[in-house]
Amino acid sequence: MPSAEEILDGFKLNWMNLRDADSGKVMWQSSDDLSTPGVEHEARVPKKILKCRAVSREINFSSKEQMEQFRLEQRVLFKGKCIEEWFFEFGFVIPSSTNTWQSIIEAAPESQMMPANVLNGNVIIETRFYDGDLLVSTSKVRVFYV
């Protein structure tokens, strides 16, 4: 079984997009490797994404190493406090493969949504990448609503 360092060395987030899950319209996309640890990444996302009932997140990643149970844990931090948490399971990753993974994220009820001007620059999405229970990497993306 490969170590966390070996998995991370052979892992790359090639691209990612966010779509309105109802219309399929791409609202944001990036080809930056947002999985790189130790750096605070930035994403400039259209504020109208906050009006979507659900958002489809599509990520394309490559892995040199086999992973038995690839999964993500994401925490949405507002001014350092966790306000939402999401868990996603991909499963088995073939060694030396490139994969596309689509997930649907349901919006909070409108009564619980904060306005874009309050969230802007105050939200960090912390993503933990795992193979089973093995923590491979933690990345942080600060979100700006434009």
Side-chain angles (χ1 to χ4, degrees), residues 8-137:
L8 182 58
D9 285 345
F11 184 87
K12 182 173 187 325
L13 185 66
N14 301 312
W15 54 263
M16 176 178 155
N17 68 40
L18 299 174
R19 298 174 188 260
D20 178 328
D22 292 329
S23 71
K25 180 181 181 215
V26 173
M27 302 190 76
W28 177 84
Q29 58 190 3
S30 174
S31 56
D32 294 339
D33 187 350
L34 299 175
S35 69
T36 306
V39 176
E40 185 178 278
H41 304 276
E42 291 184 0
R44 293 180 181 349
V45 179
K47 57 186 164 196
K48 63 186 173 194
I49 203 164
L50 296 171
K51 302 281 187 214
C52 295
R53 182 194 57 79
V55 172
S56 166
R57 179 194 60 207
E58 196 172 14
I59 63 173
N60 179 276
F61 66 92
S62 299
S63 179
K64 289 182 183 164
E65 300 294 337
Q66 175 176 309
M67 288 188 267
E68 297 297 322
Q69 188 187 355
F70 182 49
R71 64 188 183 86
L72 304 179
E73 291 182 5
Q74 289 190 306
R75 295 185 334 142
V76 179
L77 306 171
F78 175 71
K79 296 184 176 180
K81 180 179 178 236
C82 183
I83 58 171
E84 267 188 284
E85 200 165 18
W86 303 313
F87 302 91
F88 303 96
E89 302 269 341
F90 182 85
F92 184 77
V93 175
I94 298 168
S96 299
S97 65
T98 297
N99 306 273
T100 301
W101 181 10
Q102 188 173 30
S103 304
I104 302 291
I105 302 164
E106 300 283 335
E110 198 170 336
S111 62
Q112 294 177 19
M113 291 292 279
M114 287 187 264
N117 64 326
V118 173
L119 296 171
N120 189 37
N122 291 314
V123 170
I124 292 178
I125 299 178
E126 178 187 81
T127 304
R128 293 185 178 154
F129 298 83
Y130 288 91
D131 181 12
D133 292 329
L134 177 67
L135 176 61
V136 174
S137 177

